Amino acid sequence: MTAMLTVDDIVKVYRAYGSQVRAVDGVSFQVEAGTTFGLVGESGSGKSTVARCALRLIEPTSGSSSIDGAPIGALRGGALRRLRARTGMVFQNPVAALNPRLTIAQSIAEPLLTHTNLRGRALASRSRELLDEVGLAQAHADRLPHQLSGGQCQRVGIARALATRPRLLVLDEPTSALDVSVQAQVLNLLQELRREHALSYLLISHDLDVVRYMSDTAGVMRRGSLVEIGPAAEVLVRPQHEYTQQLLAAMPETPGALPLRLSGVDEPEQGAAAETREKRILS
Ligand SMILES: Nc1ncnc2c1ncn2[C@@H]1O[C@H](COP(=O)(O)OP(=O)(O)OP(=O)(O)O)[C@@H](O)[C@H]1O
Ligand SMILES: [Mg+2]
């Protein structure tokens, strides 16, 4: 297998107001092409920082990363932008991640205007295709973010991340702000999209169920370091490291909760069906 993302010995020290925080302390891992790497760990353990350093959204203090074999550290200007266009990011708070003054169609068109030459009819057509891919109805296109549900806003976030046809998505707590039933729909959509487009995911979540459900490989972070890494089914079921065992033990005692939570729900409420139902509720 080839690596879609290689993270090599990343260190990030934040300096603020004269003090230093060693947020990431020598983290290395690979996301194999076409797979999902799940990163878990308590709040403040450095998960988001590692991901941002890996995509060079922030400059690591030391260490390097490469995307699809291309070292990202050496790139500047246009070359860096082109490589970034091959990655997408989905954030935790879907409503806040959207510009409140842009319609959904405008939000989806934005990355296309920045990174592609699509204009006019071709732009509109690609935007429609993206709406469709994430299970939103064309009628959503002219709405503003506050006129959509949290789950629908996250679908817009995913459409934006997919706009430039990336091969790697970083999903930073993509469902943490969503209602439990909507979480499953968004996770299932992400699974479908991954298969359909042969995507690779770096998934960050503090929810071990989510990581277990989604990931091939899992890494456990604690205070800036990866303390355990391996097949998700092993790391998150029979952890070797004491810290992972504690994380698992801290989960609510609900054996079998995962399949119930994630598959015992209705099929994703999508497109036209969602639209009709909303109209029914409104009328
Ligand atoms: N811009 C910044 N300036 C200074 N310190 C920061 C900055 N961003 C993050 N930190 C600190 O770095 C550490 C790691 O933060 P990070 O956001 O990467 O953790 P996380 O694992 O993603 O946490 P969460 O699960 O809460 O999102 C924390 O101690 C945090 O306070
Ligand atoms: Mg974070």
Side-chain angles (χ1 to χ4, degrees):
M1 267 206 275
T2 50
M4 182 52 59
L5 174 68
T6 302
V7 173
D8 191 14
D9 205 13
I10 295 263
V11 173
K12 178 65 183 178
V13 179
Y14 289 113
R15 291 185 177 80
Y17 308 109
S19 69
Q20 294 193 350
V21 179
R22 208 171 175 82
V24 177
D25 195 6
V27 167
S28 305
F29 62 87
Q30 294 195 333
V31 182
E32 304 293 346
T35 72
T36 299
F37 185 97
L39 206 50
V40 289
E42 65 200 348
S43 181
S45 56
K47 306 180 296 294
S48 298
T49 302
V50 165
R52 290 197 195 108
C53 287
L55 299 191
R56 224 66 178 193
L57 298 173
I58 56 173
E59 200 59 28
T61 306
S62 64
S64 60
S65 58
S66 44
I67 294 172
D68 205 5
I72 194 167
L75 302 176
R76 297 283 176 274
L80 182 58
R81 274 198 301 280
R82 276 193 296 281
L83 189 64
R84 277 221 193 99
R86 306 187 63 197
T87 66
M89 206 148 169
V90 175
F91 301 94
Q92 170 164 2
N93 191 328
V95 185
L98 298 174
N99 183 332
R101 285 182 291 275
L102 295 187
T103 65
I104 299 313
Q106 287 168 331
S107 273
I108 292 177
E110 201 179 43
L112 294 169
L113 286 168
T114 310
H115 292 291
T116 74
N117 296 323
L118 294 179
R119 300 293 180 268
R121 244 190 266 170
L123 179 74
S125 151
R126 175 69 181 140
S127 301
R128 274 198 301 276
E129 186 179 271
L130 283 162
L131 262 185
D132 201 49
E133 263 184 28
V134 298
L136 288 172
Q138 296 306 322
H140 290 119
D142 298 323
R143 296 203 199 164
L144 292 168
H146 79 268
Q147 296 169 317
L148 297 187
S149 69
Q152 289 169 334
C153 281
Q154 194 57 303
R155 287 173 192 267
V156 177
I158 295 167
R160 279 167 57 85
L162 288 176
T164 55
R165 304 183 194 277
R167 304 194 51 206
L168 170 74
L169 287 194
V170 173
L171 312 163
D172 194 347
E173 303 276 4
T175 56
S176 305
L178 303 177
D179 200 75
V180 171
S181 65
V182 179
Q183 276 182 12
Q185 296 171 7
V186 170
L187 292 175
N188 288 333
L189 170 68
L190 287 168
Q191 293 280 56
E192 278 166 31
L193 290 169
R194 193 179 65 72
R195 279 192 290 268
E196 204 172 306
H197 300 289
L199 296 167
S200 312
Y201 287 164
L202 171 55
L203 167 71
I204 296 172
S205 179
H206 64 269
D207 187 329
L208 299 185
D209 278 346
V210 167
V211 171
R212 213 167 2 209
Y213 179 68
M214 297 286 288
S215 312
D216 301 285
T217 311
V220 182
M221 275 193 80
R222 185 193 192 197
R223 295 188 195 150
S225 300
L226 263 182
V227 293
E228 188 161 0
I229 185 169
E234 283 173 29
V235 170
L236 300 175
V237 176
R238 284 180 297 279
Q240 300 300 306
H241 195 280
E242 194 186 341
Y243 176 69
T244 318
Q245 291 165 3
Q246 285 167 9
L247 269 185
L248 273 181
M251 296 274 296
E253 267 304 314
T254 44
L258 167 78
L260 274 180
R261 263 180 61 198
L262 295 177
S263 62
V265 294
D266 295 325
E267 277 301 293
E269 183 181 281
Q270 288 184 352
E275 194 67 12
T276 325
R277 179 200 284 229
E278 260 171 51
K279 284 199 183 122
R280 234 186 2 248
I281 293 170
L282 289 172
S283 61

